[in-house]
C-alpha cells in the first residue's frame, strides 16, 4: 500500500512552479525560496505551531512554508506583495493540500502597510522574511497585531544576532531594544545556505519572539522609541551628548538621565528597554529646557 505523496515542495517542485510562472527570485525583494522540506518541518517544530493556532505568514513565495503550516495550524493567512506569486499560491494550496485549502487565506499586499487581516486574530507569526525589510516588517506586525503571542522568523544571521542581542553586546542596537519592548527574544538556530534557491551569499538564523507585557511606564511606546533612536544615532557618544537634541541641551539631557537613574556618561548599548522607558518619562518640558540652558 503506497503512502500519500508529501504535500511539501521538493527542490524540483519549486523550480517547476517558478518556471511555469516565469518567476525569477529578485534581490530587490530579498527573495530566496526554501527548497528543503526537512527545513520547513524544523521551522514549524521550532515555532511550536499548535492545531488551534491562527498563523500569519509574510512573504510566502511559492508556498514551501505555507504548506507545512497548513498541515498543522487551524488557519493560515499569507501576505504576499508579488503579483505573480500572490496569483499562483491559492492554486498550489488547492493542488497539494485540498483537504485544508479552506483554511488558507491570501492577502495580496505589502506587509508594511497591512493594518487588518481577515478572519480570527492571528496567534502566531511564522515567516522566512525578505532580508531587505525583515526588521521593519517584524516590528510593524508586532505593533499592529497584539494577538500574536509567538513569532519565529528566519532572517539573515547578522540580523538574527542583532534582534537577540542583550545589552552590552557589540551588536545590541535599535532592533534589539524595540523587539525587547514586545517580546522575549532569543536565537533559535542556524540555517545553511543550501536549503534556499537561489542560495544566498549569507547564512540565515531563526529568531524566536514570545510576547510579553511592555515595560511598566507612563511614557508611550512612541516616546520611548524616540529616545532609543536618538541614543543610537551616534553610538560612540555618551547619552548626555546623544540625547542633547532630544532634551533641548546637554544639561537638560543630563538632568533627565540622572532623574531616570541612568549615568549620563553611559552609552546606549549598555541600557535595557526599561531604562530607555525611564528616560522617556523624564523628558524635560520646553520651560525646563530653557532653564537648563
Amino acid at each position: 500500500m503506497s503512502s500519500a505523496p508529501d504535500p511539501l515542495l521538493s527542490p524540483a517542485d519549486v523550480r517547476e512552479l517558478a518556471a511555469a510562472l516565469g518567476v525569477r527570485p529578485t534581490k530587490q525583494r530579498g527573495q530566496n525560496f526554501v527548497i528543503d522540506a526537512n527545513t520547513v518541518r524544523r521551522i514549524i517544530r521550532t515555532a511550536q505551531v499548535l492545531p488551534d493556532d491562527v498563523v500569519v505568514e509574510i512573504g510566502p513565495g511559492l508556498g514551501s512554508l505555507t504548506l507545512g503550516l497548513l498541515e498543522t495550524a487551524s488557519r493560515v493567512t499569507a501576505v504576499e506583495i508579488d503579483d505573480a506569486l500572490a496569483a499562483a499560491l491559492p492554486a498550489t494550496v488547492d493542488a497539494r493540500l485540498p483537504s485544508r485549502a479552506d483554511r488558507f487565506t491570501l492577502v495580496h499586499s505589502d506587509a508594511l502597510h497591512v493594518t487588518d487581516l481577515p478572519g480570527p486574530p492571528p496567534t502566531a507569526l511564522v515567516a522566512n522574511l525578505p532580508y531587505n525589510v525583515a526588521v521593519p516588517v517584524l516590528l510593524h506586525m508586532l505593533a499592529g497585531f497584539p494577538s500574536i503571542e509567538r513569532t519565529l522568523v528566519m532572517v539573515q544571521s547578522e540580523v538574527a544576532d542583532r534582534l537577540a542581542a542583550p545589552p552590552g553586546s557589540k551588536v545590541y542596537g535599535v532592533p534589539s531594544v524595540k523587539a525587547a519592548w514586545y517580546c522575549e527574544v532569543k536565537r533559535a538556530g542556524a540555517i545553511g545556505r543550501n536549503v534556499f534557491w537561489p542560495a544566498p551569499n549569507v547564512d540565515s538564523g531563526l529568531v524566536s519572539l514570545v510576547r510579553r507585557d511592555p515595560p511598566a511606564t507612563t511614557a508611550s511606546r512612541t516616546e520611548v522609541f524616540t529616545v532609543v533612536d536618538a541614543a543610537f544615532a551616534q553610538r560612540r557618544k555618551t547619552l548626555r551628548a546623544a540625547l542633547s537634541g532630544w532634551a533641548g541641551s546637554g544639561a537638560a539631557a543630563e538632568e533627565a538621565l540622572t532623574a531616570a537613574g541612568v549615568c549620563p556618561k553611559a552609552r546606549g548599548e549598555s541600557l535595557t528597554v526599561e531604562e530607555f522607558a525611564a528616560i522617556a518619562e523624564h523628558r524635560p518640558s520646553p520651560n525646563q529646557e530653557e532653564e537648563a540652558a
Side-chain angles (χ1 to χ4, degrees):
M1 186 174 169
S2 62
S3 60
D6 189 342
L8 269 58
L9 300 177
S10 69
D13 293 329
V14 170
R15 290 185 171 88
E16 283 174 23
L17 272 171
L21 295 171
V23 166
R24 289 291 304 175
T26 69
K27 285 187 178 180
Q28 181 189 357
R29 288 191 171 156
Q31 291 171 326
N32 297 92
F33 300 137
V34 179
I35 57 173
D36 181 64
N38 289 331
T39 298
V40 168
R41 292 202 163 99
R42 176 189 161 197
I43 290 169
I44 290 159
R45 281 196 311 274
T46 306
Q48 298 180 335
V49 175
L50 303 171
D52 60 351
D53 269 323
V54 177
V55 179
V56 58
E57 181 190 6
I58 307 299
L62 293 164
S64 300
L65 182 56
T66 313
L67 293 164
L69 290 168
L70 272 170
E71 280 188 317
T72 305
S74 170
R75 297 196 62 80
V76 175
T77 300
V79 181
E80 177 58 66
I81 189 174
D82 186 286
D83 294 343
L85 295 173
L89 189 53
T92 300
V93 171
D94 281 340
R96 301 189 73 94
L97 265 180
S99 65
R100 315 256 319 166
D102 62 339
R103 299 166 181 256
F104 174 70
T105 305
L106 179 93
V107 175
H108 182 195
S109 181
D110 181 344
L112 281 169
H113 299 147
V114 168
T115 56
D116 187 37
L117 290 170
T123 59
L125 166 63
V126 184
N128 168 25
L129 289 178
Y131 284 170
N132 54 344
V133 292
V135 171
V137 165
L138 174 63
L139 294 175
H140 172 74
M141 294 300 293
L142 290 174
F145 298 92
S147 60
I148 294 173
E149 299 161 5
R150 284 166 289 111
T151 295
L152 188 83
V153 291
M154 181 157 52
V155 293
Q156 189 173 330
S157 189
E158 185 182 319
V159 175
D161 288 340
R162 283 191 199 134
L163 283 167
S169 162
K170 286 182 180 178
V171 294
Y172 182 74
V174 172
S176 329
V177 184
K178 291 184 178 179
W181 172 273
Y182 302 102
C183 298
E184 296 287 348
V185 188
K186 66 178 183 178
R187 279 291 298 252
I191 301 286
R193 304 179 188 194
N194 61 343
V195 304
F196 296 99
W197 174 70
N201 296 325
V202 293
D203 293 322
S204 300
L206 297 175
V207 183
S208 165
L209 303 98
V210 178
R211 180 80 68 169
R212 66 176 184 124
D213 290 334
T217 176
T218 57
S220 69
R221 181 180 70 222
T222 300
E223 289 168 337
V224 176
F225 284 10
T226 298
V227 177
V228 174
D229 290 334
F232 286 100
Q234 299 163 302
R235 285 185 75 102
R236 295 183 182 180
K237 290 195 171 183
T238 65
L239 286 168
R240 184 190 191 279
L243 298 182
S244 60
W246 165 82
S249 70
E254 181 165 343
E255 192 174 315
L257 288 159
T258 303
V262 175
C263 175
K265 292 182 180 179
R267 288 176 169 77
E269 54 262 36
S270 67
L271 268 58
T272 64
V273 65
E274 288 80 10
E275 287 171 311
F276 280 112
I279 295 167
E281 288 182 21
H282 290 90
R283 184 172 193 170
S285 66
N287 290 339
Q288 287 174 297
E289 289 172 24
E290 288 167 16
E291 290 168 14

